[in-house]
Amino acid sequence: RKEVEQDPGPFNVPEGATVAFNCTYSNSASQSFFWYRQDCRKEPKLLMSVYSSGNEDGRFTAQLNRASQYISLLIRDSKLSDSATYLCVVNARWSSGGSNYKLTFGKGTLLTVNP
Amino acid sequence: GAVVSQHPSWVICKSGTSVKIECRSLDFQATTMFWYRQFPKQSLMLMATSNEGSKATYEQGVEKDKFLINHASLTLSTLTVTSAHPEDSSFYICSASLIRDSPLHFGNGTRLTVT
């Protein structure tokens, strides 16, 4: 099982649609979880952190299920500007390469919102 | 505003030359910074963790003699790609976090093209 696995995509949706991204992680010791968005040829930008109780920020809702090691991101009323690659990111404490902890990125899911 | 500044944004160099990339934390001290590499349509891959005042820790498969990391101050880490070759052409991104387990802030990335 890959460390962080996301829907392969790409997703093409019309404006106003609701779209959901799924992500699973393999390390049960993972501590914190994030969704980033990355525009083409740009650096990733934090979209939102993900908490066990679930959290919402405007049109975006993130959910975490620790028992299933599953994270989701829901985008409602999608806009053209939401077109980007969405990265699921997991922070785990382990000693790979000598680091005490590290962030592991999923491959990302490309979303294109069409007019 | 940006909390991590990376320079240069892009560089084109000839095979065999060395390229230095700078990463600065703005308005905060970063004892730890991270260097990532991203090939087209691939996920970000952690290359190394840069520790202020000590040696960097490299991920498996990353040559420490080829990718020299120096973290001489609490606000500056540098990555030097030595004797660059075309296969080193990639998007290099640095990051830092204010506190452990908090989201990472990324520099704007450096697009390296080796001809």
Side-chain angles (χ1 to χ4, degrees):
Chain A
R1 187 177 182 183
K2 293 181 182 176
E3 292 180 27
V4 178
E5 194 157 6
Q6 294 187 236
D7 290 330
F11 287 14
N12 285 279
V13 302
E15 266 188 293
T18 296
V19 60
F21 300 119
N22 300 312
C23 174
T24 57
Y25 59 95
S26 61
N27 187 347
S28 59
S30 298
Q31 301 269 327
S32 40
F33 310 87
F34 311 97
W35 283 101
Y36 281 76
R37 68 169 280 169
Q38 186 176 23
D39 294 289
C40 188
R41 303 172 79 85
K42 298 283 190 181
E43 77 279 14
K45 291 187 185 296
L46 178 66
L47 182 63
M48 56 197 305
S49 302
V50 187
Y51 304 113
S52 295
S53 55
N55 46 305
E56 186 174 313
D57 182 3
R59 298 181 294 108
F60 300 86
T61 301
Q63 295 278 350
L64 167 64
N65 184 321
R66 285 188 184 271
S68 303
Q69 295 180 196
Y70 168 90
I71 307 157
S72 66
L73 175 69
L74 185 75
I75 305 176
R76 291 182 299 279
D77 188 24
S78 52
K79 313 290 185 188
L80 296 177
S81 57
D82 294 333
S83 297
T85 296
Y86 289 82
L87 303 169
C88 174
V89 185
V90 173
N91 192 10
R93 294 188 187 278
W94 49 8
S95 59
S96 173
S99 306
N100 292 328
Y101 71 105
K102 70 173 184 177
L103 286 180
T104 302
F105 287 77
K107 285 194 171 182
T109 304
L110 176 63
L111 171 66
T112 302
V113 181
N114 302 302
Chain B
V3 295
V4 176
S5 172
Q6 188 173 339
H7 178 82
S9 296
W10 58 271
V11 59
I12 301 173
C13 70
K14 291 185 177 180
S15 186
T17 60
S18 295
V19 176
K20 179 185 282 189
I21 303 169
E22 292 187 350
C23 181
R24 294 180 185 275
S25 57
L26 308 177
D27 300 327
F28 72 98
Q29 294 179 334
T31 55
T32 304
M33 292 185 178
F34 303 89
W35 287 96
Y36 290 83
R37 180 168 55 182
Q38 187 177 33
F39 292 106
K41 299 185 178 181
Q42 299 291 317
S43 62
L44 275 78
M45 295 300 295
L46 179 65
M47 297 176 66
T49 302
S50 173
N51 304 298
E52 188 270 334
S54 64
K55 291 182 180 180
T57 50
Y58 289 80
E59 296 300 303
Q60 195 172 11
V62 178
E63 299 174 58
K64 63 180 181 181
D65 294 328
K66 181 169 181 63
F67 299 99
L68 301 178
I69 291 173
N70 184 281
H71 195 152
S73 78
L74 287 170
T75 59
L76 174 65
S77 175
T78 62
L79 168 69
T80 301
V81 183
T82 62
S83 187
H85 288 96
E87 57 265 31
D88 297 324
S89 299
S90 187
F91 191 46
Y92 292 86
I93 313 176
C94 71
S95 66
S97 59
L98 289 169
I99 58 174
R100 183 170 288 187
D101 291 346
S102 67
L104 287 181
H105 296 278
F106 286 88
N108 56 331
T110 299
R111 192 160 300 279
L112 171 64
T113 302
V114 185
T115 60

